[in-house]
Amino acid sequence: MRILKFGGTSVGGAQAIAQTVAIVAEQRGHDPNIVVVTSAMRGVTDLLIDSAKAAAAGDRQRYRDARQALIARHRDAAEALISDLEELDQIATVLDERVREFERLCMAVAILGELTDRGLAVISGLGERLMAPLLAAALRGRGVPAEFVDAGELIVTDDIYLSGNPQMEATRARTRERLLPLLGRGRVPVTTGFVAATADGIPTVLGRGGSDYSAAILGAALDADEVQIWTDVDGVLTADPRLVPEARPLPELSYSEAAELAYFGAKVLHPKTMLPCIDRGIPIRVLNTFNPTFPGTRVVAQMTNGSGVKALTVIRGLALVTVAGRGMMGVPGIAARTFAAVAAQGTNVLMISQASSEQSICFVVPEGDAARVAAALETAFAHEIRHREIDGVTSERDIVIVAVVGEGMRGTPGIAARLFGALGEKGINVVAIAQGSSETNISLALAARDADSAVRSIHTAFGLGGS
Ligand code: ADP
Ligand code: ASP
Ligand code: MG
């Protein structure tokens, strides 16, 4: 059994969809048991979310314009791909219904003047719910017996509407109950990425870019042999190709390397994609819809090769918060209190670093949270600040993290020296550094203005551009 997930560019228009259809038909030759997961057309989710937000602010024109654009893009694709008139008529009805649903929801948001997470979840999932029936129809047009299934019937999450957490047991039961009979009859289920529902059937979504995660969840539920992520690049590359044009595809990555890269900003995989696959050891392959014979990247538990630094990523829009003071030295519990105060703010800490002199603790958080976190720490340490045991709490904005990833870094001497050598040559100052205990990742906090040059110089210093 294989799960095939197609991203927004792979279904971005008639030509791309035709390519996707050809890939599904070809894969079916290798294994008749396949499940197709699709994203919304490129840009559609953004359009839906922007329209809903504009509606909440009283702007009704935005969703009316969006409605026209949605209908036009999907109809154009349907007309180019589906020649059977009855099929075309049916799909046109489905598309019309969905778009009317979008308009009604936005109208309700405009009347209420408020957009709840629950409302936004329904609206933002409509792109996948437009695309999946269209892709199923296009597949049938090519002789593949495809059948549309809404993933709201398959993936059960909690009620965090915009980034639902899957409940795997319930998901497994529903997915198997719904999809195994279809597969048994030789059908190809075509389902929506990104969308899910609570146990009571209230629509949720899995967070932006969550279709990759959908594919992995379904792969685990069905004990698939492989999860294929079809996108618009030749696999996971040594760096973001928009930043480093000479970046090259990596043949193989471990789950933890892929997870580190995704977590630190490599958009090609949603950071949670690896989780459902790890338990059952399901390999993930990242493949290029527009270069389908290229082997892409295999993400697996045990690598057959690979050493040293493999890839690097950059995550932007961060701030560095520092708690400093001579009085902190040897005082137990400062770190625990610091992170308890931060956790109470619901803030995600991306990196932590403590100087061995114990005179400061610094950590990196999203820029938008920095002021709130600093204020919470000043309150938490009010006593120590008054008694000058802690000098104070500072926050520095315009910070990025450059993450250097590779399992083979473990036990390879000289990596840090090479890293700092490359940065030193460019006169780039490292504000803080952290190395995870797994030694799969070295994270460097830098000033935002140095990010691009740092990534390029590290890429070159480690010869990642290849031959
Ligand atoms: P999809 O719509 O197929 O899910 P995404 O846009 O979410 O595709 O992810 C693919 C994009 O991720 C690529 O086009 C590329 O620009 C970007 N990207 C960033 N970092 C990397 C990386 N290290 N390797 C590959 N692609 C990357
Ligand atoms: N369409 C959703 C998004 O843009 C999910 C995805 O593409 O993976 O976030
Ligand atoms: Mg994506």
Side-chain angles (χ1 to χ4, degrees), residues 83-97:
S83 48
D84 182 286
L85 288 182
E86 206 172 311
E87 181 87 87
L88 190 58
D89 206 39
Q90 275 171 14
I91 192 70
T93 310
V94 172
L95 297 176
D96 278 346
E97 264 172 33

Side-chain angles (χ1 to χ4, degrees), residues 257 303 305-310 404-420 435-442 461-462 464:
E257 287 172 335
M303 285 181 301
N305 59 27
S307 63
V309 171
K310 275 201 176 155
V404 181
V405 173
E407 279 205 351
M409 294 193 309
R410 185 181 306 148
T412 308
I415 299 248
R418 230 150 113 197
L419 204 52
F420 289 110
Q435 177 165 22
S437 57
S438 72
E439 294 185 34
T440 302
N441 173 352
I442 298 174
F462 285 94
L464 299 181

